[in-house]
Amino acid sequence: RDLRDPTCTSSKHSHIHRYLLDRSKLELLKVISRSTPVLSSTMATLLRQVASNTGFRALAPHTFRTTVCSSPFASVRRSFASDGDSRVIEVTDDKHVRSELASADGLVVIDFTAKWCGPCRKVAPHFDELSKEFQDVKFLKADIDNEELGITLRLHSVQAVPTFSFVKDEQLVSQLKGANVEGLKKAIAALTKQK
């Protein structure tokens, strides 16, 4: 019998069948990881699990980060970084978001973004500049690939990036989708009554 045949009932054959499937998934994910500029955290987790289950030491969980997050990723992280004067706060989880919203005195603008998103990288420096221009507004940046922000993403119904949410008194008052810098500036000015 073909060991890849799912109808194979022998426990030894079933074990080999699972191993071959896991090995196939691993090979597929390795190809995807080479062709994708940045792995999402979900894909990275899956790749770690498959590597762990199949016993491949080259991609074992303790070496995974070094193996996958090599030079191509460093350049993306650099392009995503803010300069020293930026007032943008990168939120790390849902609790962090709640804390920042609760401590805000006025308008909060949340930039829902992703490292792999070209328009997000294009608008990022303008978002930093707006954080300096509108000193009475709190600016947050949330990476949609961060699994710790799941509740926040659902509450804001984020379906595209970049998406900008405008929050007052912990309530969502408006949203803007797309890398529209002028529209973003006008929305902030209107919501803060600044000219």
Side-chain angles (χ1 to χ4, degrees):
R1 283 190 149 203
D2 184 347
L3 295 180
R4 291 169 296 177
D5 181 358
T7 61
C8 189
T9 55
S10 157
S11 62
K12 179 179 178 184
H13 287 171
S14 295
H15 175 72
I16 293 171
H17 171 66
R18 281 194 305 272
Y19 177 84
L20 289 173
L21 282 179
D22 284 344
R23 186 179 177 123
S24 299
K25 287 181 200 170
L26 177 66
E27 292 305 315
L28 176 62
L29 288 170
K30 281 165 60 179
V31 169
I32 292 169
S33 69
R34 285 191 205 108
S35 62
T36 305
V38 176
L39 284 177
S40 71
S41 57
T42 305
M43 186 183 288
T45 302
L46 179 58
L47 189 52
R48 272 197 299 274
Q49 288 172 348
V50 172
S52 172
N53 291 343
T54 55
F56 287 130
R57 294 294 171 236
L59 284 172
H62 63 281
T63 59
F64 175 78
R65 191 172 299 278
T66 305
T67 305
V68 174
C69 298
S70 57
S71 56
F73 301 93
S75 63
V76 173
R77 280 195 297 271
R78 279 196 300 275
S79 69
F80 216 59
S82 305
D83 63 36
D85 295 332
S86 173
R87 295 179 50 250
V88 177
I89 300 165
E90 191 159 345
V91 288
T92 54
D93 56 32
D94 294 317
K95 184 177 179 182
H96 189 185
V97 174
R98 284 193 303 272
S99 169
E100 292 294 343
L101 293 178
S103 66
D105 290 329
L107 180 67
V108 180
V109 183
I110 307 173
D111 175 11
F112 291 98
T113 185
K115 292 183 174 89
W116 47 263
C117 167
C120 299
R121 290 196 300 271
K122 182 181 171 186
V123 80
H126 300 286
F127 193 69
D128 288 341
E129 287 302 315
L130 289 171
S131 77
K132 298 171 203 170
E133 183 177 340
F134 294 92
Q135 292 287 321
D136 56 341
V137 176
K138 184 178 277 193
F139 290 79
L140 306 180
K141 183 178 285 191
D143 187 339
I144 64 161
D145 288 324
N146 181 351
E147 294 173 354
E148 301 297 317
L149 290 168
I151 295 171
T152 302
L153 293 171
R154 283 192 296 277
L155 286 173
H156 291 261
S157 303
V158 177
Q159 298 175 351
V161 286
T163 291
F164 300 94
S165 284
F166 303 93
V167 180
K168 275 188 172 180
D169 300 319
E170 300 183 58
Q171 298 297 314
L172 179 65
V173 293
S174 184
Q175 269 192 331
L176 175 71
K177 296 183 189 325
N180 181 352
V181 177
E182 282 305 311
L184 178 61
K185 185 173 182 176
K186 285 178 184 175
I188 295 170
L191 288 166
T192 56
K193 306 294 187 221
Q194 292 184 10
K195 302 293 181 195

